[in-house]
Amino acid sequence: MSTVIYSSPIFGPVHSRRLGISLGINLLPADGKVCSFNCIYCECGFNEDHRPTLPLPTREEVAGRLEDKLRQMQAEGQLPDVLTFAGNGEPTCHPQFPEVIDDTIRLRDQYCPQTKISVLSNSTMIHHQRVRDALMRVDNNILKLDTVDPEYIRKVDCPVGAYDVRQVIDGMKAFRGHVIIQTMFMQGECNGESVDNTGERYVGPWLQAVREIAPQQVMIYTIARETPTQGLLKATPEQLNGIRDRVVAMGIACQASY
């Protein structure tokens, strides 16, 4: 089993299936994983296997390293399409997340005003007002909703603390359309139990939640890299396209990544 642990606080640029040329901003330690989920499909592996020893990067460190990289990319004539908060866990867990967003907007406006700012989040912190306000200031507020079934969430996303999917849906609705829903669809099994969420049992209620949230866009995707759990399988292009078409039929833009 191989896993990916990203440099911190800046990594890349990398080519994202969904976002284009992406310069990564990792607000977690460079030697481990810090996350409020422990997903069985996470490319960074399980939380317990990658306990960090280094501290979180400070606000000042993030801003300094980001400015250095943007200055370098500007000199090379290759600016990123997007600045993406991702990396070794959940970025909104960082205690200075709102302030880091302020710094990032300032630097983006200075060096690459056409570049978008994206945050990839598992939605566990959106009930905090400071986090919600910060996410309202970024271009792409990309929030995870793999299903609305609590048992599936427990089995696949494995929240570290309390997780109420109804509270998450209400939190997404509070963005009043300034939200992109991101959902992982897959097949296979884990510990002898099916983790296939491509069937109507899961897709139908998920579509109802999507309609209720009324996001600006939906991103559906499947496994692209090695996972820490054996037995997981990619959803097929036909399955993803079918789900995408049902989202589009509701009048909501949807992108499928295979």
Side-chain angles (χ1 to χ4, degrees):
M1 178 187 71
S2 63
T3 54
V4 180
I5 297 295
Y6 292 93
S7 301
S8 180
I10 307 300
F11 64 94
V14 299
H15 187 271
S16 166
R17 290 183 292 170
R18 287 159 284 168
L19 302 171
I21 302 301
S22 170
L23 182 63
I25 303 173
N26 177 20
L27 299 186
L28 292 315
D31 67 338
K33 185 184 173 195
V34 178
C35 197
S36 48
F37 272 4
N38 198 17
C39 297
I40 65 172
Y41 59 76
C42 182
E43 65 182 20
C44 296
F46 292 123
N47 296 352
E48 58 270 22
D49 294 333
H50 300 280
R51 300 293 187 192
T53 61
L54 297 174
L56 299 175
T58 65
R59 171 188 181 179
E60 293 75 19
E61 182 182 1
V62 175
R65 294 281 297 279
L66 178 59
E67 183 165 21
D68 289 345
K69 187 64 176 182
L70 290 178
R71 188 182 293 119
Q72 173 193 337
M73 295 182 74
Q74 184 183 62
E76 294 170 351
Q78 188 183 24
L79 291 168
D81 298 315
V82 62
L83 303 174
T84 306
F85 285 83
N88 305 334
E90 174 52 39
T92 63
C93 288
H94 193 290
Q96 293 181 298
F97 176 74
E99 292 80 10
V100 171
I101 291 293
D102 290 339
D103 295 339
T104 302
I105 292 171
R106 172 179 57 81
L107 291 169
R108 184 275 308 274
D109 292 347
Q110 178 179 350
Y111 289 96
C112 48
Q114 302 305 313
T115 296
K116 303 294 185 183
I117 298 173
S118 297
V119 177
L120 302 181
S121 169
N122 64 20
S123 311
T124 54
M125 301 290 287
I126 61 174
H127 58 287
H128 294 288
Q129 187 67 49
R130 294 177 72 247
V131 170
R132 192 159 61 245
D133 290 346
L135 290 173
M136 284 295 294
R137 298 196 294 275
V138 304
D139 300 288
N140 298 319
N141 171 30
I142 304 174
L143 300 181
K144 174 171 289 298
L145 185 67
D146 282 342
T147 178
V148 300
D149 184 280
E151 180 62 21
Y152 188 92
I153 292 166
R154 182 198 62 77
K155 182 167 55 176
V156 172
D157 294 325
C158 306
V160 173
Y163 181 91
D164 183 341
V165 70
R166 184 66 247 178
Q167 182 185 50
V168 168
I169 292 170
D170 289 342
M172 289 181 171
K173 289 168 60 178
F175 286 104
R176 299 186 181 277
H178 184 67
V179 58
I180 298 171
I181 293 175
Q182 174 182 255
T183 301
M184 164 71 81
F185 286 102
M186 63 182 178
Q187 303 181 89
E189 62 178 38
C190 174
N191 297 323
E193 296 184 70
S194 171
V195 292
D196 187 338
N197 63 337
T198 63
E200 190 61 26
R201 172 186 173 186
Y202 296 106
V203 174
W206 173 83
L207 285 168
Q208 293 176 24
V210 169
R211 185 190 298 275
E212 186 180 343
I213 295 163
Q216 67 191 66
Q217 184 183 358
V218 173
M219 294 178 172
I220 63 175
Y221 67 119
T222 193
I223 297 166
R225 300 178 179 89
E226 190 170 354
T227 62
T229 298
Q230 302 302 305
L232 307 184
L233 302 172
K234 294 168 70 75
T236 67
E238 291 76 19
Q239 288 169 326
L240 291 179
N241 289 343
I243 297 168
R244 177 201 62 198
D245 292 347
R246 294 176 70 179
V247 175
V248 171
M250 296 192 299
I252 299 171
C254 184
Q255 174 185 349
S257 300
Y258 316 118

